[in-house]
Structures are given as C-alpha cells and as structure tokens.
Amino acid sequence: MPPQQRQQFLSSLSDEEGKKLIYDWSFWARDKQLPPPGDWFAWLLRSGRGFGKTRTGAEWVRAKVESGKCRRIALVGQTKADVRDTMIEVGDSALMHVCPPWNRPQYEPSKRRLTWPNGAVAIAYSGDEPGQLRGPQHDLAWVDELAKFQYPQQTWDNLEMG
C-alpha cells in the first residue's frame, strides 16, 4: 500500500479498530510468515536470522489458541532458559508480548505453564530432557530450532500428539 493510502486507511480507524489492528498478524506478516494452507503435520521454517521465525511461531500458537482448536500445547526449546526467554517472556516476539491484553495468558513460571482465558494450556519443555515429553499428549507443538538440541531425534520421537 502506498504511504499516502496507508495513512488514509490508518486515519480512518476508530481507536478500538486501531488497537485491534496492532494485534492482527495477518495484516502485518509477510506471506511466508503465514501458515501454509492444507492439513499438515509439521511446518518447517528454514530461514536466516531476522526472518521472524520466533514471531511467526508465537503468532501461530496464538491463532490456534484463539480459534479454540487446540487446548494442549507443547513449547519446546533447546533449554528451559530458551523456552522462557525466547518463546514466552523476553522480546517483542515472545508469546506474552504478541497476545493482546484482552487475551493474554497467565504465566506461572514455577509450573512452566501458560493458561489462556479460554482454558488452553501451554507447557514449556526442554530439548535437554526429551523424556519429559513422554506421557502428555498435545494438540500442537512449537519446537524452536530443533537442530540445535543436544538430543534432537529423541526429542522429536518423544513428542506425543493427541
């Protein structure tokens, strides 16, 4: 959209519409940051630094939660600190920052758990301990940078999807 047209559009929005637009990922994302169409089991984002992989992952989880189609989510990073810092808490791309105030999850670090207002729950897991993924069944999993894990194959094998 040309700058003048974009400015006209933004100026035409009410305060409420403007606040909602800030959190509308489909408006801000590049096409390659939006999920591919179809019914698929795994979506691989293979790209370089600065592409927006973390933001894309967080927005994908958020969209699934808001759709009501998933209630049990595994957040899997290389280490517990990676999950906490990169995927949940720190930076503009973390889940706690991409979720709008009216639908932000409650974060309980001691339980490694995020709980959304609709009851969806995400649990943080570490690729350093792939065995902890055995047992719980998940509707979806966001696995961040699997190739960096100490035990990538074991982590992938232990993910149980319901």
Side-chain angles (χ1 to χ4, degrees), residues 30-139:
R30 294 186 307 276
D31 287 344
K32 291 187 177 196
Q33 291 175 304
L34 297 173
D39 186 21
W40 39 268
F41 173 75
W43 173 23
L44 171 68
L45 279 176
R46 187 172 152 212
S47 61
R49 188 175 287 277
F51 172 85
K53 295 179 295 294
T54 301
R55 179 68 182 262
T56 301
E59 292 286 0
W60 175 68
V61 168
R62 177 184 152 214
K64 291 292 193 175
V65 167
E66 289 178 356
S67 75
K69 294 181 180 175
C70 75
R71 311 268 304 155
R72 302 164 302 174
I73 303 141
L75 303 175
V76 190
Q78 181 181 6
T79 66
K80 291 173 187 168
D82 287 333
V83 178
R84 180 192 65 235
D85 294 346
T86 305
M87 300 170 79
I88 297 174
E89 283 190 89
V90 180
D92 294 338
S93 298
L95 277 164
M96 294 301 291
H97 296 278
V98 303
C99 291
W102 58 87
N103 197 35
R104 191 161 287 145
Q106 176 185 358
Y107 179 40
E108 299 172 271
S110 63
K111 295 181 179 180
R112 305 178 350 259
R113 179 170 54 203
L114 290 113
T115 306
W116 276 265
N118 70 0
V121 175
I123 304 291
Y125 297 96
S126 165
D128 289 341
E129 302 175 60
Q132 66 184 322
L133 287 160
R134 292 178 48 186
Q137 293 185 343
H138 303 97
D139 299 319

